[in-house]
């Protein structure tokens, strides 16, 4: 979509003699984006196969939902070298949605639940990851499952934390033991509290909008105001850069929050249009 809005057509002069044509930049951007699309389409094919094999459709996660999960991950983690983090985000989002749906539909629970157990085991298996990564992933999922059983299946904030922690663990920026992890997380308390609070409210906002057809009620307006205030604080924390937290880690949490914000305030039709344009439409 940036390419569509690119308006440069003249030349850019560098110093007295050197110049670069804006058209050259545009062509380079198009080539880079085409490579990104090819990579995304390959990854989505693999993810779609995993979605089908794990029978997620049975647990309320449609192909469209799975594609949206991948799109949100790819829109925020787009470097080719970060495929591991990108796919971890998407798989975690899909599996978390399936487990949440299962708890809302207790009559559906039967022996087929084993497919979810297998999918979770594959996701947190330390092979080919190292043992510490697997241990940290298990701890992240344990905390999420505890929140799920205590608070019910509507745990937008806890799911946001699960996504951010998973990305950080798989990236190698979170290579600590479970015991160390408890201590390290204290330094992230404000970052995680803001992330959880905002995403909880955004999940509620999205639900209210879908229920009333997009009409703004007073309760939703108050929620919007709270979200705006917390977003300002989160942005300040991330962009200020003097919190002592790794800058890339801060950006991970902000990216997760932005993905919740996007889903809460975008219609399904808008999201579908963006997915088609970004992932599948040819760049001319």
């Amino acid at each position: 979509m940036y390419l569509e809005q690119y308006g440069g057509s003249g030349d850019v002069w560098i110093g007295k003699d050197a110049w670069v044509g804006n058209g050259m930049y545009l062509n380079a951007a198009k080539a880079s984006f085409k490579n990104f699309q090819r990579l995304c389409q390959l990854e989505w094919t693999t993810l779609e196969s995993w979605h089908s094999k794990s029978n997620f459709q049975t647990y309320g996660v449609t192909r469209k939902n799975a594609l949206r999960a991948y799109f949100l991950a790819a829109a925020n983690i787009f470097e080719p070298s970060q495929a591991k983090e990108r796919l971890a985000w998407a798989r975690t989002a899909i599996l978390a949605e399936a487990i949440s749906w299962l708890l809302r539909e207790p009559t559906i629970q039967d022996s087929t639940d084993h497919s979810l157990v297998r999918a979770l085991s594959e996701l947190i298996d330390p092979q080919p990851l190292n043992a510490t990564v697997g241990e940290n992933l298990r701890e992240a999922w344990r905390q999420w499952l505890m929140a799920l059983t205590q608070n019910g299946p509507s745990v937008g904030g806890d799911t946001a934390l699960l996504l951010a922690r998973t990305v950080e663990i798989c990236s190698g920026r979170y290579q600590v033991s479970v015991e160390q992890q408890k201590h390290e997380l204290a330094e992230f308390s404000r970052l995680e509290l803001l992330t959880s609070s905002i995403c909880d409210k955004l999940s509620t906002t999205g639900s209210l909008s879908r229920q009333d057809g997009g009409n703004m009620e007073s309760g939703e307006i108050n929620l919007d105001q709270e979200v705006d205030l917390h977003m300002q604080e989160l942005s300040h924390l991330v962009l200020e850069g003097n919190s002592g937290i790794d800058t890339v880690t801060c950006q991970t949490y902000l990216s997760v929050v932005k993905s919740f914000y996007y889903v809460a305030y975008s219609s399904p039709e808008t999201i579908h249009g963006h997915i088609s344009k970004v992932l599948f439409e040819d760049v001319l």
Side-chain angles (χ1 to χ4, degrees), residues 52-67:
S52 177
K53 182 187 73 172
S54 301
N55 202 27
F56 285 120
Q57 185 86 27
T58 303
Y59 305 104
V61 185
T62 64
R63 177 186 178 278
K64 183 180 292 187
N65 289 2
L67 180 57

Side-chain angles (χ1 to χ4, degrees), residues 152-203:
S154 298
V155 285
D158 293 293
T159 300
L161 293 181
L162 175 63
L163 292 174
R165 290 171 182 172
T166 297
V167 171
E168 287 299 294
I169 291 168
C170 291
S171 71
R173 291 186 294 272
Y174 211 68
Q175 295 281 5
V176 292
S177 69
V178 173
E179 288 303 315
Q180 290 174 315
Q181 186 184 52
K182 295 175 182 177
H183 171 71
E184 294 291 335
L185 283 178
E187 300 181 10
F188 297 90
S189 58
R190 189 58 187 163
L191 178 65
E192 293 208 323
L193 181 62
L194 285 169
T195 298
S196 177
S197 176
I198 292 170
C199 292
D200 260 337
K201 291 179 174 63
L202 287 172
S203 297

Side-chain angles (χ1 to χ4, degrees), residues 26-186:
L26 179 58
N27 290 334
K30 286 182 177 180
S32 177
F33 190 75
K34 287 178 181 178
N35 289 334
F36 168 75
Q37 280 187 317
R38 281 193 289 269
L39 175 62
C40 286
Q41 289 166 14
L42 287 172
E43 290 180 351
W44 165 241
T45 298
T46 301
L47 194 67
E48 185 179 25
S49 175
W50 176 74
H51 171 270
S52 177
K53 182 187 73 172
S54 301
N55 202 27
F56 285 120
Q57 185 86 27
T58 303
Y59 305 104
V61 185
T62 64
R63 177 186 178 278
K64 183 180 292 187
N65 289 2
L67 180 57
R68 186 185 70 177
Y70 175 73
F71 170 70
L72 293 173
N76 286 284
I77 305 176
F78 43 81
E79 291 293 340
S81 60
Q82 293 181 291
K84 182 166 55 178
E85 297 100 288
R86 184 165 50 248
L87 289 171
W89 175 329
R91 290 176 189 268
T92 299
I94 292 169
L95 185 53
E97 183 179 345
I99 295 173
S100 297
W101 182 91
L102 188 63
L103 290 185
R104 289 194 299 268
E105 303 289 341
T107 57
I108 306 297
Q109 298 182 30
D110 55 29
S111 59
T112 60
D113 299 352
H114 292 308
S115 62
L116 292 185
V117 175
R118 283 195 301 272
L120 180 57
S121 297
E122 292 172 1
L123 201 60
I124 62 178
D125 190 336
Q127 299 298 330
L129 304 172
N130 63 48
T132 302
V133 169
E135 190 177 9
N136 287 332
L137 286 174
R138 281 191 290 273
E139 175 63 13
W141 275 97
R142 185 190 68 80
Q143 292 182 21
W144 181 80
L145 288 167
M146 285 182 60
L148 194 69
T149 54
Q150 292 171 3
N151 305 325
S154 298
V155 285
D158 293 293
T159 300
L161 293 181
L162 175 63
L163 292 174
R165 290 171 182 172
T166 297
V167 171
E168 287 299 294
I169 291 168
C170 291
S171 71
R173 291 186 294 272
Y174 211 68
Q175 295 281 5
V176 292
S177 69
V178 173
E179 288 303 315
Q180 290 174 315
Q181 186 184 52
K182 295 175 182 177
H183 171 71
E184 294 291 335
L185 283 178

